[in-house]
């Protein structure tokens, strides 16, 4: 059975931290493949802040050039929006019955996990692999006590956020060291986040 780690995100835009996390899990040999699942609209985020899905998908493809064991996944483009992870997981289980899926998320997402649709279903049917994010020590202790059965990974902490990148773009600041050069060129070429 093929084991696939699903790394969900808006990737608005995809940055070097996203790719580094995907590479970390690819190199950890926990999975046969990592799929970066581009979400058209996360119900917990403002859709007005999102670049069009096609642009975000293309930027992930560009960011993954030269990597191995990592693929971009557009499955949520073909499902109703907003994109509920539970709906996507049910669809993937039906579509790929011989695959075993797990969910890769940052610990900041666990802070709001009780707001996810069918959160109990997700937690009881799928393994979760959690990577560190910049959250308060108080929130870290809460989520670690609330979700003891998830896999806490000692992945590096990357202090990069898509929100900060969008703000940098609005101020005409350099994106060097934040996104792949190909992604930076794509953003300029398509006048994104202006």
């Amino acid at each position: 059975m093929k084991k696939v780690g699903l790394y969900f995100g808006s990737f608005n835009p995809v940055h070097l931290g996203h790719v580094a996390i995907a590479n970390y899990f690819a190199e950890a040999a926990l999975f046969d493949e990592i799929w970066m699942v581009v979400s058209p609209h996360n119900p917990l985020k403002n859709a007005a802040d999102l670049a069009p899905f096609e642009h975000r998908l293309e930027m992930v493809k560009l960011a993954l050039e030269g990597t191995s064991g990592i693929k971009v996944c557009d499955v949520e483009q073909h499902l109703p929006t907003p994109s509920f992870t539970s709906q996507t997981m049910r669809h993937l289980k039906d579509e790929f019955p011989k695959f075993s899926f797990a969910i890769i998320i940052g610990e900041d997402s666990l802070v709001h996990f009780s707001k996810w649709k069918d959160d109990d279903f997700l937690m009881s049917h799928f393994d979760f692999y959690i990577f560190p994010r910049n959250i308060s020590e108080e929130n870290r202790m809460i989520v670690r006590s609330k979700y003891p059965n998830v896999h806490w990974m000692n992945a590096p902490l990357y202090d990069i956020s898509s929100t900060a990148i969008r703000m940098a773009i609005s101020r005409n600041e350099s994106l060097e060291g934040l996104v792949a050069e190909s992604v930076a060129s794509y953003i300029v070429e398509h006048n994104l986040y202006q």
Side-chain angles (χ1 to χ4, degrees):
M1 180 171 281
K2 180 179 279 191
K3 292 184 67 177
V4 177
L6 300 170
Y7 181 12
F8 289 86
S10 299
F11 304 117
N12 187 41
V14 63
H15 54 65
L16 295 178
H18 291 135
V19 177
I21 289 294
N23 272 316
Y24 169 86
F25 280 96
E27 291 168 6
L30 297 165
F31 306 103
D32 298 304
E33 289 178 348
I34 303 298
W35 294 0
M36 291 181 73
V37 183
V38 183
S39 299
H41 175 208
N42 177 333
L44 299 179
K45 293 188 178 180
N46 186 351
D49 295 333
L50 290 172
F53 176 84
E54 295 75 17
H55 287 311
R56 290 182 286 119
L57 184 73
E58 189 58 35
M59 287 188 283
V60 174
K61 288 178 183 175
L62 290 169
L64 293 181
E65 286 177 353
T67 64
S68 61
I70 310 170
K71 296 181 176 181
V72 64
C73 178
D74 68 352
V75 64
E76 291 194 335
Q77 181 183 24
H78 311 289
L79 298 173
T81 55
S83 307
F84 294 110
T85 303
S86 56
Q87 165 186 275
T88 305
M89 297 306 291
R90 286 184 172 100
H91 174 80
L92 288 172
K93 275 182 63 128
D94 290 344
E95 190 79 11
F96 302 96
K98 295 187 177 179
F99 285 25
S100 168
F101 293 104
I103 298 170
I104 297 169
I105 61 171
E107 63 183 345
D108 54 329
S109 295
L110 279 187
V111 175
H112 308 290
F113 189 71
S114 61
K115 296 179 182 177
W116 289 30
K117 182 178 174 65
D118 299 330
D119 58 316
D120 289 338
F121 161 78
L122 288 169
M123 198 55 77
S124 61
H125 284 81
F126 300 98
D127 282 339
F128 279 72
Y129 289 80
I130 314 301
F131 59 88
R133 293 283 287 160
N134 276 325
I135 64 172
S136 70
E137 198 55 42
E138 179 184 0
N139 278 338
R140 179 166 287 124
M141 290 175 68
I142 290 169
V143 296
R144 288 199 176 221
S145 63
K146 192 171 181 180
Y147 303 106
N149 296 326
V150 301
H151 305 277
W152 295 94
M153 305 301 294
N154 193 26
L157 177 62
Y158 295 97
D159 194 18
I160 306 175
S161 79
S162 295
T163 302
I165 290 169
R166 293 193 303 273
M167 290 176 63
I169 293 167
S170 71
R171 295 190 298 258
N172 291 315
E173 295 175 1
S174 169
L175 300 183
E176 187 176 351
L178 299 174
V179 301
E181 285 183 25
S182 56
V183 171
S185 298
Y186 188 93
I187 290 169
V188 171
E189 179 185 349
H190 294 277
N191 200 32
L192 300 178
Y193 309 115
Q194 294 295 326

